[in-house]
Amino acid sequence: MHLHFYGGAATVTGSRFHLTTERASILIDCGMFQGAPSETVRNRIPLGFDPGSLDAILVTHAHLDHCGLLPVAVKMGFSGPIHLTAASAELAEIVLLDSGRLQEEFAKRGNRWEARHPGEAITEDKAAAREYVEALDLAQKQDDGDAGGPGGNGLDRAPGASYAPLRFATGSVGTGEHVETTLEPASSGAQAGARTEADLVAADHPDLLIDLDAPLYTEREAAAVLPRFSPVPYDEEIEVAPGIHATFLDAGHILGSAIIRLRVQETEGGPERTIVFSGDLGRPGAPILRDPSVLTRADYLCVESTYGGREHEPSAEAVRVLADAVREVDKSAGVLLIPSFAIGRTQDIVWELDRLIDAGEIPMLPLYLDSPMASKVSDVYRRHPELYDEPTTGLFRSGETPLDYPNQTVTNQLEHSRKIAQAARPYMIVASNGMLTGGRVVGHLRELIDDPLATILFVGYQGSHTLGSHLQAGARTVKLDGQVRQVRCRIRSISGFSAHADEPALLAWIGRFGTDLKAGDPGFPRRIFLVHGDPEAQEALRPKVEALGFDVHVPVWHERISLD
């Protein structure tokens, strides 16, 4: 039995774990890498396995970094069921169709830009090609190590073994004006007769011209995923492959999010192993949803580590800072811009603003919900009251509408979004996405970045090297649309609205495993894998998990682990 870490390893995004036994092959999550170019280029790297050979895919939740490459898997031959909760299926449909559409739009926009800036386009595309090759090298190095290279069992190398050269399109492919660039990855490291990652790209497709600006998939290709969805309820075990049974348990992260517990038999009649994948764990006490399910037994545990080394401010303090920001903008007749992910975070913010209005804590400023996706997501939330926590259920029973702000305007059309800048101040905007890596929020940032009466309020995690993280770190200049802009707006942050468990909550959840057991007892985890975290967060969390008595490992991208 082997577990291969194709994503979510030493990085927050790209969740993708391949579990194989002698008689089954399943994938847990099929997520997209997000953030810096050195991360997102990994979306172009071969998946590392034949999707057509998978028995099933299991999805923990509907965020893009956990489900965003499902269209790629289906396009490349996956034809089995995709198991996820009913709410996740509804949300994933919205997310994937939007992702395909946006990728097509970005590609068209990029082609137009390249046509206007041919010299810069060639330079940038060559840099992207080098990052692609570096990612291939990194993946191959680890695959070689697992198969017997450095860090493996020491099999001999073929002298001078090399990768197949790769051909890249640089410049404006959309107008037919491009310069072909050929790059050859590292010239050592491949085993004699072995097919490398680059071979998977080039040798199988000798006429392929790689265009890193092309969409990963289209909206139509995203739609091809939807018939594969097989909704499952919480807390009911199902067989997903020969010898593998799965139970989805409430993770409390976003609507429909799940912890996945697998009961696995390598061979019929053989010993049974329990493997738990935490997915993303919710913040205990967060509004709307129930707290994460508590588990106490596992042989192996893959647990997220996003907030390793960090503790959220108390919820009451987060609400106070939000109220202060609203009052400050009201007093200065300014604009409050809240970058927020459409799923989960937007609903939480609207919920808290509605509570503050009811309590008389803030003025009823106009609120523009400038995210068509968030509007659709809120409709899904309304259709699933069975997933609410008790306080939210009680509010709905009493006739309250906590998912709606009393003075809100939903802007579904792009022209309406652009007109917000002309609205009478003061007002508030909640727009996607939360890290300023794309979406309508970037358009509002263009208008407000150098406005001293504007406030940008971050309410969630900012990935390394994202525009949001640079602003949060105090950057005084940023590059927007190729132009350097001065940062004159106010920048504020709140951590108490995070949809992720912080370090104390993670340690409390992990610490329940092996309750009343000791190392070596059945049910006490043999090893805990820290995933979904930046290296700094994982290194901060690791010794604290080890102090609980567990054996801890931090896997790297493409690492394969044998589970005995």
Side-chain angles (χ1 to χ4, degrees):
M1 187 188 314
H2 293 91
L3 185 59
H4 214 143
F5 296 85
Y6 288 114
T11 186
V12 175
T13 63
S15 180
R16 193 160 77 246
F17 310 115
H18 185 206
L19 178 67
T20 58
T21 70
E22 289 186 9
R23 53 181 176 155
S25 173
I26 67 169
L27 194 67
I28 297 87
D29 282 343
C30 192
M32 183 181 289
F33 288 96
Q34 298 174 293
S38 60
E39 295 285 335
T40 58
V41 75
R42 295 184 180 187
N43 294 319
R44 308 279 178 175
I45 303 301
L47 292 174
F49 52 86
D50 175 14
S53 69
L54 294 173
D55 293 293
I57 298 176
L58 285 63
V59 176
T60 59
H61 64 283
H63 274 150
L64 204 60
D65 61 323
H66 290 255
C67 71
L69 289 190
L70 286 172
V72 174
V74 171
K75 183 167 62 171
M76 295 182 65
F78 175 72
S79 60
I82 300 172
H83 299 291
L84 69 178
T85 66
S88 287
E90 291 184 51
L91 293 175
E93 177 178 352
I94 296 170
V95 168
L96 293 175
L97 293 178
D98 182 74
S99 174
R101 178 181 56 80
L102 286 177
Q103 288 186 62
E104 291 182 84
E105 289 182 4
F106 291 156
K108 291 176 183 177
R109 188 183 307 167
N111 286 338
R112 290 194 297 268
W113 182 88
E114 289 182 343
R116 295 193 304 270
H117 307 87
E120 293 177 63
I122 291 173
T123 300
E124 290 191 3
D125 284 352
K126 285 185 176 180
R130 285 191 292 271
E131 287 182 329
Y132 180 90
V133 169
E134 288 172 2
L136 275 175
D137 282 340
L138 183 61
Q140 186 64 45
K141 180 180 179 181
Q142 186 57 47
D143 288 343
D144 287 345
D146 289 334
N153 61 18
L155 294 177
D156 291 337
R157 300 292 185 192
S162 64
Y163 292 87
L166 303 176
R167 299 166 59 239
F168 293 89
T170 57
S172 184
V173 178
T175 62
E177 301 171 1
H178 67 265
V179 176
E180 184 178 318
T181 299
T182 301
L183 294 178
E184 185 167 329
S187 61
S188 63
Q191 295 180 43
R195 284 165 57 80
T196 67
E197 298 286 350
D199 288 329
L200 293 172
V201 180
D204 291 347
H205 308 280
D207 297 324
L208 178 65
L209 189 66
I210 301 170
D211 179 13
L212 298 177
D213 295 324
L216 281 167
Y217 50 85
T218 65
E219 186 173 6
R220 176 176 293 184
E221 288 168 336
V225 173
L226 308 183
R228 309 248 63 84
F229 284 164
S230 177
V232 298
Y234 282 135
D235 304 318
E236 292 186 16
E237 187 176 76
I238 61 170
E239 185 173 17
V240 297
I244 302 180
H245 293 75
T247 305
F248 287 64
L249 304 112
D250 198 341
H253 174 59
I254 62 171
L255 194 78
S257 60
I259 300 161
I260 297 178
R261 180 176 62 209
L262 299 180
R263 189 165 55 84
V264 185
Q265 280 186 309
E266 173 90 21
T267 58
E268 188 171 359
E272 187 175 279
R273 297 286 179 260
T274 299
I275 309 171
V276 172
F277 297 84
S278 74
D280 286 349
L281 293 173
R283 174 171 54 92
I288 305 177
L289 301 178
R290 298 187 291 257
D291 287 351
S293 301
V294 174
L295 288 77
T296 60
R297 298 291 186 269
D299 294 300
Y300 297 97
L301 170 62
C302 289
V303 62
E304 69 129 314
S305 53
T306 307
Y307 274 90
R310 286 181 289 176
E311 183 175 354
H312 298 323
E313 61 193 344
S315 295
E317 176 63 12
V319 173
R320 184 195 67 77
V321 174
L322 175 63
D324 284 348
V326 174
R327 289 190 290 261
E328 184 179 67
V329 164
D330 177 54
K331 184 177 180 180
S332 65
V335 177
L336 176 62
L337 175 61
I338 304 177
S340 180
F341 287 106
I343 303 178
R345 200 65 47 79
T346 293
Q347 291 72 36
D348 287 351
I349 292 298
V350 171
W351 194 96
E352 294 292 1
L353 289 171
D354 187 64
R355 298 298 89 211
L356 286 169
I357 287 291
D358 282 355
E361 292 290 329
I362 58 173
M364 195 183 296
L365 301 186
L367 171 65
Y368 294 94
L369 292 176
D370 192 24
S371 171
M373 184 192 293
S375 178
K376 295 175 183 177
V377 166
S378 293
D379 288 340
V380 177
Y381 268 65
R382 294 184 188 97
R383 289 198 292 270
H384 288 277
E386 76 280 4
L387 303 181
Y388 298 161
D389 61 12
E390 280 301 320
T392 303
T393 299
L395 287 172
F396 274 97
R397 284 175 180 161
S398 66
E400 298 270 359
T401 56
L403 292 177
D404 296 287
Y405 178 80
N407 190 17
Q408 72 182 28
T409 299
V410 178
T411 52
N412 287 323
Q413 302 302 317
L414 183 58
E415 58 266 29
H416 296 158
S417 172
R418 290 169 175 163
K419 289 180 179 178
I420 293 175
Q422 303 168 20
R425 297 184 175 195
Y427 59 83
M428 304 179 290
I429 307 170
V430 175
S432 297
N433 70 37
M435 295 185 193
L436 301 178
T437 56
R440 291 186 181 179
V441 70
V442 178
H444 296 300
L445 186 68
R446 293 188 192 103
E447 297 286 339
L448 301 173
I449 191 68
D450 51 11
D451 184 346
L453 298 181
T455 298
I456 314 298
L457 179 63
F458 291 106
V459 293
Y461 178 78
Q462 302 300 305
S464 297
H465 308 297
T466 60
L467 180 54
S469 70
H470 289 310
L471 287 172
Q472 203 172 49
R476 301 315 305 162
T477 61
V478 295
K479 195 173 184 180
L480 292 173
D481 304 320
Q483 296 182 335
V484 176
R485 300 279 299 274
Q486 297 292 319
V487 179
R488 295 192 176 93
C489 61
R490 294 182 290 258
I491 305 294
R492 302 186 69 174
S493 299
I494 302 175
S495 68
F497 289 133
S498 174
H500 285 268
D502 62 4
E503 184 179 84
L506 286 172
L507 291 171
W509 188 81
I510 294 169
R512 300 269 178 72
F513 283 87
T515 300
D516 300 324
L517 300 176
K518 63 181 183 301
D521 288 345
F524 189 93
R526 300 179 177 200
R527 179 172 282 189
I528 291 179
F529 302 103
L530 297 185
V531 294
H532 301 304
D534 289 324
E536 297 82 3
Q538 293 177 324
E539 288 309 308
L541 183 62
R542 178 175 187 161
K544 297 166 187 174
V545 178
E546 289 174 335
L548 296 175
F550 299 114
D551 177 30
V552 178
H553 181 69
V554 179
V556 297
W557 187 43
H558 274 243
E559 184 173 0
R560 187 180 69 167
I561 301 290
S562 177
L563 307 180
D564 55 16

